[in-house]
Amino acid sequence: MDDSELHGLLSDLPGSPTAKQYRNLARALLPYIQAHVPPMGEGRSLARLQFLIEVARRDLGLARILEGHLDATQILHEAERTAEPGALYGVWASGGPDDTTHFMQSEAIGARDALSGSKPFCSGSDIVDRALVYVYPNEQLVDVDMQAASAEHRLRFERGQWKAQAFSETHTWTVTFDQLPIGPEQKVGEQKWYFERPGFCLGTLAPAACWAGGASGLVDHVRQRTLKGGHAKAHLGAIVAASQSNVAMLEWGATRIDTDPANEQGHMFATALLVRHLIERNCTEVLDRFGRALGPRPFAFDEVNARRTTELQLYIRQCHAESDLEELGTHLAAHPNFP
Ligand SMILES: Cc1cc2nc3c(=O)[nH]c(=O)nc-3n(C[C@H](O)[C@H](O)[C@H](O)COP(=O)(O)OP(=O)(O)OC[C@H]3O[C@@H](n4cnc5c(N)ncnc54)[C@H](O)[C@@H]3O)c2cc1C
């Protein structure tokens, strides 16, 4: 990866970007991604994760948007489909009781499938050009042209539901679809394919790479300070160790992915759970020690680090905590030789 080119592109990002600036920079990075960021599971998975680490180190909001784009292009690659050139993608697969998306047959549009209902947690909702949306009742992933759907007034954004300052400019809103026609060519993979493909496990390391990058950004800030007391230096030692451990875990995960990308040994999800757990714990430690080392000032007076800490705190909650550990423990009990 050509780091100087990437850092040059990222240097265009202001300290507190707006949604428009996120869109402009994310789109400006698309040719770089096309040229330098390899797919997962083809021998260079680590380079893909390193890209996300570097972006997140600079800005977690941009990383959240690009992580969705990379996830989408990987999914389309696995489905042997071509991503629309120059289009910025998102993946919206969040479920739960707030997700009411479903297909209905609409006579008004010639008895074709139409997408209706609301999808929560749509990062980049009015920023991306296209989104891969998972429709749970129909167990189907669909490729939606957001610009066209918006022009046809087939969707609206429920912007008021996102209360946090963290990630507010990523517009992670709820999107409500209103009888949006879905043609057969928009269906990506067979029913259930999205969750059952081996690539689903590979994709779960990407958020962890963003968490790791966010923690590295905090470590960078501590290292730029002149630390006076021994306690602050002890915190520095601990957070650098935690950050290095994140990188080592991602390297380990990437190596295992490249060794068995089709998940023939069946350990891929447990590998991802193990990596994600350790990175989540390390990030929690970095967040804690960051405040203990530097006191309240970065949270109160420093716009970039105040935002970075709240965004990292929120982003790591994407892990499923003890539910994931229970799943990992179940796998360990059944596979005495793992890892
Ligand atoms: C910053 C950020 C951006 C995100 N962007 C995207 C995105 O672009 N695309 C995407 O697909 N997903 C996105 N997500 C969402 C993410 O993928 C998960 O859907 C989300 O973290 C919730 O996970 P979960 O539903 O598995 O809940 P879990 O973590 O499993 O839920 C934890 C607990 O919350 C309880 N709970 C309480 N209230 C509710 C409620 N109202 N609904 C559901 N559970 C409830 C559940 O019962 C459960 O016990 C984003 C998340 C974050 C934090």
Side-chain angles (χ1 to χ4, degrees), residues 34 36 40 51 67 76 96 101 105 144 158 185 215 234 323 328:
Q34 182 82 15
H36 299 290
M40 288 296 274
F51 168 77
E67 192 255 299
L76 293 170
T101 48
Q105 296 273 308
V144 173
E158 319 282 356
E185 72 289 352
S323 303
L328 176 59

Side-chain angles (χ1 to χ4, degrees), residues 64 67-68 71 90-99 119-125 132 134 136 162 166-167 170 172 194 311 313-321 323:
R64 175 72 280 277
E67 192 255 299
D71 194 22
V91 178
W92 301 335
S94 190
D98 302 335
D99 171 33
K119 176 68 80 180
F121 280 115
C122 297
S123 283
S125 52
L132 303 184
Y134 195 74
Y136 281 88
W162 190 265
F167 291 113
T170 64
T172 302
Y194 170 69
E311 289 185 344
Q313 205 169 31
L314 177 55
Y315 208 167
I316 58 176
R317 294 278 55 86
Q318 257 193 338
C319 84
H320 300 108
S323 303

Side-chain angles (χ1 to χ4, degrees), residues 194-229:
Y194 170 69
F195 281 114
E196 289 178 349
R197 74 207 155 91
F200 181 76
C201 308
L202 317 190
T204 56
L205 283 193
C210 296
W211 309 339
S216 294
L218 292 176
V219 172
D220 290 343
H221 180 70
V222 177
R223 295 198 84 165
Q224 284 155 13
R225 316 267 320 178
T226 308
L227 300 176
K228 294 194 185 107

Side-chain angles (χ1 to χ4, degrees), residues 39-40 42 72-81:
M40 288 296 274
E42 296 185 10
T73 53
Q74 176 77 23
I75 291 166
L76 293 170
H77 177 68
E78 287 167 28
E80 297 179 4
R81 294 166 70 117

Side-chain angles (χ1 to χ4, degrees), residues 3-307:
D3 276 349
S4 58
E5 186 184 347
L6 178 59
H7 290 145
L9 288 160
L10 292 177
S11 67
D12 288 345
L13 201 65
S16 291
T18 61
K20 192 166 178 215
Q21 286 165 327
Y22 276 141
R23 173 170 163 81
N24 289 344
L25 186 55
R27 286 173 57 91
L29 278 162
L30 294 181
Y32 178 91
I33 291 172
Q34 182 82 15
H36 299 290
V37 181
M40 288 296 274
E42 296 185 10
R44 295 186 57 223
S45 296
L46 184 60
R48 194 173 180 89
L49 299 176
Q50 277 169 335
F51 168 77
L52 287 171
I53 293 174
E54 284 310 310
V55 175
R57 188 173 190 164
R58 179 65 208 255
D59 190 285
L60 275 164
L62 183 66
R64 175 72 280 277
I65 289 169
L66 289 174
E67 192 255 299
H69 175 80
L70 289 189
D71 194 22
T73 53
Q74 176 77 23
I75 291 166
L76 293 170
H77 177 68
E78 287 167 28
E80 297 179 4
R81 294 166 70 117
T82 315
E84 195 68 32
L88 180 65
Y89 280 82
V91 178
W92 301 335
S94 190
D98 302 335
D99 171 33
T100 59
T101 48
H102 61 281
F103 289 154
M104 50 189 288
Q105 296 273 308
S106 174
E107 289 305 325
I109 54 167
R112 284 163 67 195
D113 281 328
L115 176 62
S116 281
S118 299
K119 176 68 80 180
F121 280 115
C122 297
S123 283
S125 52
D126 69 342
I127 294 175
V128 299
D129 301 297
R130 304 183 75 92
L132 303 184
V133 181
Y134 195 74
V135 187
Y136 281 88
N138 308 80
E139 300 182 295
Q140 182 67 55
L141 187 69
V142 292
D143 181 354
V144 173
D145 180 340
M146 291 297 288
Q147 308 292 337
S150 180
E152 291 162 21
H153 306 290
R154 292 290 179 190
L155 55 82
R156 63 175 192 276
F157 302 110
E158 319 282 356
R159 38 195 101 199
Q161 290 179 6
W162 190 265
K163 308 293 184 202
Q165 272 300 310
F167 291 113
S168 59
E169 289 300 312
T170 64
H171 291 182
T172 302
W173 295 331
T174 297
V175 177
T176 299
F177 297 95
D178 179 17
Q179 297 190 45
L180 175 70
I182 298 291
E185 72 289 352
Q186 286 174 268
K187 295 184 179 175
V188 181
E190 300 292 314
Q191 283 184 303
K192 299 188 185 178
W193 172 83
Y194 170 69
F195 281 114
E196 289 178 349
R197 74 207 155 91
F200 181 76
C201 308
L202 317 190
T204 56
L205 283 193
C210 296
W211 309 339
S216 294
L218 292 176
V219 172
D220 290 343
H221 180 70
V222 177
R223 295 198 84 165
Q224 284 155 13
R225 316 267 320 178
T226 308
L227 300 176
K228 294 194 185 107
H231 290 168
K233 285 176 188 155
H235 288 307
L236 174 65
I239 62 175
V240 169
S243 194
Q244 275 306 112
S245 155
N246 284 346
V247 174
M249 286 315 298
L250 287 167
E251 280 172 5
W252 180 74
T255 305
R256 290 188 72 115
I257 282 172
D258 288 336
T259 310
D260 184 20
N263 198 17
E264 279 162 10
Q265 292 169 21
H267 295 314
M268 206 51 72
F269 198 52
T271 300
L273 290 175
L274 199 155
V275 173
R276 282 167 60 105
H277 166 69
L278 276 172
I279 292 180
E280 183 259 332
R281 289 287 82 199
N282 284 334
C283 289
T284 303
E285 179 163 8
V286 170
L287 280 165
D288 185 33
R289 288 185 182 274
F290 180 82
R292 298 175 85 85
L294 301 184
R297 285 182 181 79
F299 303 104
F301 304 125
D302 171 350
E303 202 175 6
V304 171
N305 284 299
R307 184 165 63 84

